[in-house]
Amino acid sequence: MDDLLIIAVRGIGLGSIYALVGISFNVVFNASGILNFAQGNMLVLGGLFAFLVLPLAPDVTQWMIFLPLAAVALAALMAVQGGITLLPLRSSVEQHSWLITTLAASVIIGAVLLLYQGAVQQSVHSPFANFSLAGTRVPATYAASVLLALFWYVALRLFHTKLLVGLAISAIAQDMDAARAAGIRVRRLQIGAFAISGLVVGSAGFVAAPMMAIANDSGLAYVMNGFVAAVVGGLGSNLGALVGGALVGVVSMYAAFEYGGEFQNAVSLGLLVGVLMLRPQGLFGRPAARRV
Amino acid sequence: MSDTQLRLGIGLVVASILLPSLLGSAYWAHNFLIVNLFVTVAVAQNMLLADAGQVSFGHGAVFGMSAYLVGIISGLWGYDYAIGALAGVGGALALGLLFALPSLRVQGYYLGFVTLSAAVVFPEMLVAFNDITNGINGINRTVPSLTAPLFSGLSWLSFLVMALTVATLAGHAWLRTTSAGRKMRVAAVSPEAAMTLGLDPGRLRFLAFTIAALVTGLAGTLYVPVLGFVSPYAFRVDLSIYFFFCVIVGGQGQLLGPLIGAWILYLVPNALLADLANYRLLGYGIIALLIMLVFPDGVVGSIVSFSRRHRLRARIAGIGIDPVLSWAGIRPSQESGAAITVRGARKQFNSLAALGGVDLTVMAGSVHGLVGPNGSGKTTLLNVVSGFIPLTAGSVQVRDRDTTRMPAFRVARLGVGRTFQTPRVFEQMSIWENLEIGADVHSGNNNWLMEMLEPFRGEWSENNPDLLAHAQRRVLEILRTVASDADILLLDEPAAGLSAIERRDFARLIRFLRDRLGKTVLLVEHDLALVWKVADRITVLDAGRIVAEGPPDAIATDPRVRALFTGSPDA
């Protein structure tokens, strides 16, 4: 019983990272139809930011000051990446060029990390103390990461329904041609969506840094699990990403507990294939109408 | 163009294996054995991506599966190398088919993510099952019988690698000339069009994955004697990404592309940064990104399109309707009775009823017009008959076969051909190949249409349909359907975008199909004048219901129909 509780708590904590990556996926996907393979390494960069700016034993004030800076830094970086990714789409007939450019961006970030810090894994300490929940000790980072996921879910919901810019991005998601015809500057808003996605993933990397592997080769595992979270919940649905993230986190934590840590990703892959075979639209997605 | 690339490719492979050994450079001889194995895998990846349209980021895992089985069975367990190699190919095939499984449900980036995840997980599994794989320590396995030098540094292994790489390149070129290769390319570009030709896209994807896995597996078995060692580190996700980037950098779809890509990505970092292995990944990433931004067609692709642009394009192939209509025409055995019978067809899209109980009977050997305002359910009905959309209620029969629950490709095999609002013409293939796809699915052995068109073969083989005007694309699509021997033709707005003269010609073509070829035509069209001119019977749809049905004269005077089309049909 205690084991299951620990698995659930840790799983949801870990899953909140996947949920955040999933949400940051959705932001770009809804505005452009692009899935950014570099999202995992962007998360790692958020964590690296925390490693670089925070002292060994950070206090809460420092943490509060640097959190928004991490978000903004990654937003700027992702806006640049978005601009590069969208560049060839202007003229090229190859619609899938983004599959390659975003994968290349991911490889480049990983390679730069390798050159910068070598094949090591950095760790960051949290300014908050652990607390106890239902008799188990819970690292504060888990709670902070879950809260951040909820925060971004609510904030993006408000953004997309209350603000004009958000509405315009929602319009692109509905029908890009119609949005363009209505005078919406699609390209500019799409780059904006990359930036917003950077805010999400940058803050996520900063907050979750104490429980992350900040290394050159860990980005792909995060992007993969984030994608599984988004697909399980239904690609494009942020509520789906929240639920999917928790599900992926708990299931892979159970696998780690039962069979060993090496099996976490294998189990996520199994979950992904299972969902795609049985319900490709995910839990909260709608089946797409066929166009012939 | 593809012959040149093939010859050049074979020459480069042979030279890259012979020259370093003859020149006495053991270092480069060794490296080029590895490069050629990578070229082999990249060619398979190119076929999978460009011919079959399947995105796989995971072929490093297939390669590694094969190499590791050789290592385990012949290295750890002490069996013969040949037995290990056999198991390696078997394992690669099994993993390749596992990759193919999700491709039945999802495509594109979904498949990319699944295969990428598999490539991430594969080395983790090698470590996790360390009691079988020897974990991170890897496995030593040399094969002296293959690597013993024969003369001037060359060994049996050199010739095996050469043979495999050359055979793979030549095999890819040959596949493209076969009917299976053409079908694969059609299914990749337009699964819908493939299905209307009676092709099962899922089976073609399986075929492509199987071929790719077989080739990749063979390369994997040779990896062990070349390196003498396998470790999980060698088969990390980076390797899969490397294979994919080889195809992109070289130019996807170009025969020579993967070879050039593999050379650039392997040799440039190796020659320039031999001591700085860490820079290699950065090199891959930057080269791939730059190529995508500057030469999206890849190195070979850009050279090809550059040389094409500078070639005079004097010959513009034309497909005229007149030569087609001048044929004697062979009227096949005339069927009678109903060709298509739709009973009580209802189709619900969420709360919207696209079809609200439609009955339709199309008599064999007749032209049946289906008209109605936008959104009246015409195309939905056509899709229901084709088998693209399952009915909520009701039934569909083609002749006497119930097709209500039949997938589209099975309906097509009953002789139901179909054209689309936007003609599905395949730009990457020559005009002749576009027709040949139809002939490929023809059931009989002698195809009179292709025989009649034989005089055009030379000209049409050299030109791609990007030279064709819109009306000619329509004709090409219809000819292809006729070449497939379909005797029921569903035409979806064939006259859209045609000029007045082209429309008149088109009306003659439709009559020709009925009178001289004995085809049954179900025609969805907005041009009422055209429909009234050629149709034997007309069904008028509005808001998913039938408003009127009957011969053109009777329909034209029907007040309900007149009310529907303001400015009544000028028939």
Side-chain angles (χ1 to χ4, degrees), chain B residues 456-472:
Chain B
F456 297 95
R457 185 186 191 129
E459 192 184 0
W460 290 3
S461 296
E462 277 177 35
N463 287 295
N464 280 19
D466 54 349
L467 297 169
L468 293 181
H470 183 70
Q472 296 183 320

PDB file of all heavy atoms in Angstrom, chain B residues 456-472:
ATOM      1  N   PHE B 456       2.524   6.425 -78.117  1.00  0.00           N
ATOM      2  CA  PHE B 456       2.858   7.599 -77.293  1.00  0.00           C
ATOM      3  C   PHE B 456       3.887   7.260 -76.217  1.00  0.00           C
ATOM      4  O   PHE B 456       4.350   8.129 -75.504  1.00  0.00           O
ATOM      5  CB  PHE B 456       1.605   8.134 -76.586  1.00  0.00           C
ATOM      6  CG  PHE B 456       0.551   8.621 -77.527  1.00  0.00           C
ATOM      7  CD1 PHE B 456      -0.498   7.797 -77.916  1.00  0.00           C
ATOM      8  CD2 PHE B 456       0.607   9.910 -78.047  1.00  0.00           C
ATOM      9  CE1 PHE B 456      -1.465   8.249 -78.780  1.00  0.00           C
ATOM     10  CE2 PHE B 456      -0.370  10.360 -78.915  1.00  0.00           C
ATOM     11  CZ  PHE B 456      -1.405   9.522 -79.288  1.00  0.00           C
ATOM     12  N   ARG B 457       4.201   5.988 -76.099  1.00  0.00           N
ATOM     13  CA  ARG B 457       4.999   5.522 -74.961  1.00  0.00           C
ATOM     14  C   ARG B 457       6.297   6.299 -74.787  1.00  0.00           C
ATOM     15  O   ARG B 457       6.607   6.777 -73.694  1.00  0.00           O
ATOM     16  CB  ARG B 457       5.305   4.038 -75.121  1.00  0.00           C
ATOM     17  CG  ARG B 457       6.015   3.491 -73.910  1.00  0.00           C
ATOM     18  CD  ARG B 457       6.455   2.048 -74.125  1.00  0.00           C
ATOM     19  NE  ARG B 457       6.898   1.494 -72.855  1.00  0.00           N
ATOM     20  CZ  ARG B 457       6.470   0.347 -72.351  1.00  0.00           C
ATOM     21  NH1 ARG B 457       5.623  -0.382 -73.020  1.00  0.00           N
ATOM     22  NH2 ARG B 457       6.907  -0.074 -71.188  1.00  0.00           N
ATOM     23  N   GLY B 458       7.045   6.424 -75.893  1.00  0.00           N
ATOM     24  CA  GLY B 458       8.344   7.079 -75.811  1.00  0.00           C
ATOM     25  C   GLY B 458       8.226   8.492 -75.256  1.00  0.00           C
ATOM     26  O   GLY B 458       8.895   8.861 -74.284  1.00  0.00           O
ATOM     27  N   GLU B 459       7.336   9.251 -75.871  1.00  0.00           N
ATOM     28  CA  GLU B 459       7.190  10.656 -75.482  1.00  0.00           C
ATOM     29  C   GLU B 459       6.689  10.786 -74.038  1.00  0.00           C
ATOM     30  O   GLU B 459       7.189  11.589 -73.260  1.00  0.00           O
ATOM     31  CB  GLU B 459       6.190  11.312 -76.435  1.00  0.00           C
ATOM     32  CG  GLU B 459       6.159  12.803 -76.333  1.00  0.00           C
ATOM     33  CD  GLU B 459       5.086  13.385 -77.241  1.00  0.00           C
ATOM     34  OE1 GLU B 459       4.395  12.604 -77.937  1.00  0.00           O
ATOM     35  OE2 GLU B 459       4.944  14.601 -77.256  1.00  0.00           O
ATOM     36  N   TRP B 460       5.706   9.959 -73.700  1.00  0.00           N
ATOM     37  CA  TRP B 460       5.113  10.086 -72.369  1.00  0.00           C
ATOM     38  C   TRP B 460       6.023   9.556 -71.273  1.00  0.00           C
ATOM     39  O   TRP B 460       5.856   9.877 -70.109  1.00  0.00           O
ATOM     40  CB  TRP B 460       3.759   9.366 -72.334  1.00  0.00           C
ATOM     41  CG  TRP B 460       2.716  10.073 -73.151  1.00  0.00           C
ATOM     42  CD1 TRP B 460       2.895  11.190 -73.903  1.00  0.00           C
ATOM     43  CD2 TRP B 460       1.348   9.703 -73.301  1.00  0.00           C
ATOM     44  NE1 TRP B 460       1.733  11.549 -74.516  1.00  0.00           N
ATOM     45  CE2 TRP B 460       0.749  10.649 -74.167  1.00  0.00           C
ATOM     46  CE3 TRP B 460       0.556   8.672 -72.799  1.00  0.00           C
ATOM     47  CZ2 TRP B 460      -0.586  10.595 -74.540  1.00  0.00           C
ATOM     48  CZ3 TRP B 460      -0.777   8.611 -73.163  1.00  0.00           C
ATOM     49  CH2 TRP B 460      -1.342   9.565 -74.023  1.00  0.00           C
ATOM     50  N   SER B 461       6.964   8.687 -71.621  1.00  0.00           N
ATOM     51  CA  SER B 461       7.875   8.156 -70.600  1.00  0.00           C
ATOM     52  C   SER B 461       8.903   9.194 -70.199  1.00  0.00           C
ATOM     53  O   SER B 461       9.481   9.127 -69.125  1.00  0.00           O
ATOM     54  CB  SER B 461       8.608   6.920 -71.122  1.00  0.00           C
ATOM     55  OG  SER B 461       7.683   5.897 -71.360  1.00  0.00           O
ATOM     56  N   GLU B 462       9.173  10.136 -71.114  1.00  0.00           N
ATOM     57  CA  GLU B 462      10.222  11.103 -70.838  1.00  0.00           C
ATOM     58  C   GLU B 462       9.723  12.336 -70.124  1.00  0.00           C
ATOM     59  O   GLU B 462      10.502  13.167 -69.694  1.00  0.00           O
ATOM     60  CB  GLU B 462      10.891  11.521 -72.157  1.00  0.00           C
ATOM     61  CG  GLU B 462      11.957  10.539 -72.596  1.00  0.00           C
ATOM     62  CD  GLU B 462      12.538  10.944 -73.917  1.00  0.00           C
ATOM     63  OE1 GLU B 462      12.650  12.162 -74.157  1.00  0.00           O
ATOM     64  OE2 GLU B 462      12.847  10.045 -74.709  1.00  0.00           O
ATOM     65  N   ASN B 463       8.418  12.486 -70.084  1.00  0.00           N
ATOM     66  CA  ASN B 463       7.898  13.717 -69.511  1.00  0.00           C
ATOM     67  C   ASN B 463       7.061  13.460 -68.270  1.00  0.00           C
ATOM     68  O   ASN B 463       6.310  12.495 -68.198  1.00  0.00           O
ATOM     69  CB  ASN B 463       7.054  14.459 -70.541  1.00  0.00           C
ATOM     70  CG  ASN B 463       7.917  15.089 -71.605  1.00  0.00           C
ATOM     71  OD1 ASN B 463       8.702  15.989 -71.331  1.00  0.00           O
ATOM     72  ND2 ASN B 463       7.810  14.588 -72.820  1.00  0.00           N
ATOM     73  N   ASN B 464       7.206  14.358 -67.324  1.00  0.00           N
ATOM     74  CA  ASN B 464       6.410  14.266 -66.111  1.00  0.00           C
ATOM     75  C   ASN B 464       5.130  15.076 -66.280  1.00  0.00           C
ATOM     76  O   ASN B 464       5.095  16.019 -67.060  1.00  0.00           O
ATOM     77  CB  ASN B 464       7.214  14.809 -64.924  1.00  0.00           C
ATOM     78  CG  ASN B 464       8.195  13.779 -64.411  1.00  0.00           C
ATOM     79  OD1 ASN B 464       8.532  12.834 -65.122  1.00  0.00           O
ATOM     80  ND2 ASN B 464       8.641  13.965 -63.195  1.00  0.00           N
ATOM     81  N   PRO B 465       4.113  14.716 -65.539  1.00  0.00           N
ATOM     82  CA  PRO B 465       2.827  15.383 -65.751  1.00  0.00           C
ATOM     83  C   PRO B 465       2.814  16.850 -65.338  1.00  0.00           C
ATOM     84  O   PRO B 465       1.796  17.514 -65.544  1.00  0.00           O
ATOM     85  CB  PRO B 465       1.853  14.554 -64.905  1.00  0.00           C
ATOM     86  CG  PRO B 465       2.661  13.678 -64.076  1.00  0.00           C
ATOM     87  CD  PRO B 465       4.020  13.601 -64.624  1.00  0.00           C
ATOM     88  N   ASP B 466       3.923  17.362 -64.793  1.00  0.00           N
ATOM     89  CA  ASP B 466       3.886  18.791 -64.450  1.00  0.00           C
ATOM     90  C   ASP B 466       3.778  19.654 -65.705  1.00  0.00           C
ATOM     91  O   ASP B 466       3.512  20.852 -65.616  1.00  0.00           O
ATOM     92  CB  ASP B 466       5.105  19.191 -63.591  1.00  0.00           C
ATOM     93  CG  ASP B 466       6.427  18.813 -64.240  1.00  0.00           C
ATOM     94  OD1 ASP B 466       6.393  18.071 -65.241  1.00  0.00           O
ATOM     95  OD2 ASP B 466       7.471  19.259 -63.755  1.00  0.00           O
ATOM     96  N   LEU B 467       3.978  19.039 -66.870  1.00  0.00           N
ATOM     97  CA  LEU B 467       3.841  19.796 -68.116  1.00  0.00           C
ATOM     98  C   LEU B 467       2.398  19.835 -68.601  1.00  0.00           C
ATOM     99  O   LEU B 467       2.068  20.572 -69.526  1.00  0.00           O
ATOM    100  CB  LEU B 467       4.692  19.140 -69.211  1.00  0.00           C
ATOM    101  CG  LEU B 467       6.195  19.116 -68.976  1.00  0.00           C
ATOM    102  CD1 LEU B 467       6.858  18.207 -69.998  1.00  0.00           C
ATOM    103  CD2 LEU B 467       6.746  20.517 -69.082  1.00  0.00           C
ATOM    104  N   LEU B 468       1.551  19.034 -67.999  1.00  0.00           N
ATOM    105  CA  LEU B 468       0.198  18.894 -68.532  1.00  0.00           C
ATOM    106  C   LEU B 468      -0.728  20.002 -68.044  1.00  0.00           C
ATOM    107  O   LEU B 468      -0.653  20.419 -66.894  1.00  0.00           O
ATOM    108  CB  LEU B 468      -0.393  17.547 -68.112  1.00  0.00           C
ATOM    109  CG  LEU B 468       0.247  16.305 -68.706  1.00  0.00           C
ATOM    110  CD1 LEU B 468      -0.476  15.072 -68.194  1.00  0.00           C
ATOM    111  CD2 LEU B 468       0.215  16.365 -70.220  1.00  0.00           C
ATOM    112  N   ALA B 469      -1.586  20.432 -68.944  1.00  0.00           N
ATOM    113  CA  ALA B 469      -2.619  21.401 -68.572  1.00  0.00           C
ATOM    114  C   ALA B 469      -3.685  20.677 -67.750  1.00  0.00           C
ATOM    115  O   ALA B 469      -3.772  19.449 -67.754  1.00  0.00           O
ATOM    116  CB  ALA B 469      -3.232  22.015 -69.817  1.00  0.00           C
ATOM    117  N   HIS B 470      -4.482  21.480 -67.061  1.00  0.00           N
ATOM    118  CA  HIS B 470      -5.472  20.922 -66.147  1.00  0.00           C
ATOM    119  C   HIS B 470      -6.398  19.913 -66.828  1.00  0.00           C
ATOM    120  O   HIS B 470      -6.617  18.810 -66.331  1.00  0.00           O
ATOM    121  CB  HIS B 470      -6.285  22.071 -65.556  1.00  0.00           C
ATOM    122  CG  HIS B 470      -7.291  21.623 -64.551  1.00  0.00           C
ATOM    123  ND1 HIS B 470      -6.928  21.135 -63.318  1.00  0.00           N
ATOM    124  CD2 HIS B 470      -8.639  21.555 -64.613  1.00  0.00           C
ATOM    125  CE1 HIS B 470      -8.017  20.807 -62.651  1.00  0.00           C
ATOM    126  NE2 HIS B 470      -9.068  21.045 -63.413  1.00  0.00           N
ATOM    127  N   ALA B 471      -6.885  20.267 -67.992  1.00  0.00           N
ATOM    128  CA  ALA B 471      -7.840  19.388 -68.684  1.00  0.00           C
ATOM    129  C   ALA B 471      -7.168  18.061 -69.032  1.00  0.00           C
ATOM    130  O   ALA B 471      -7.790  16.999 -68.987  1.00  0.00           O
ATOM    131  CB  ALA B 471      -8.368  20.065 -69.937  1.00  0.00           C
ATOM    132  N   GLN B 472      -5.879  18.149 -69.383  1.00  0.00           N
ATOM    133  CA  GLN B 472      -5.176  16.921 -69.753  1.00  0.00           C
ATOM    134  C   GLN B 472      -4.949  16.013 -68.552  1.00  0.00           C
ATOM    135  O   GLN B 472      -4.930  14.794 -68.685  1.00  0.00           O
ATOM    136  CB  GLN B 472      -3.842  17.290 -70.403  1.00  0.00           C
ATOM    137  CG  GLN B 472      -4.049  18.058 -71.698  1.00  0.00           C
ATOM    138  CD  GLN B 472      -2.735  18.363 -72.367  1.00  0.00           C
ATOM    139  OE1 GLN B 472      -1.766  18.699 -71.701  1.00  0.00           O
ATOM    140  NE2 GLN B 472      -2.706  18.256 -73.675  1.00  0.00           N
TER     141      GLN B 472
END
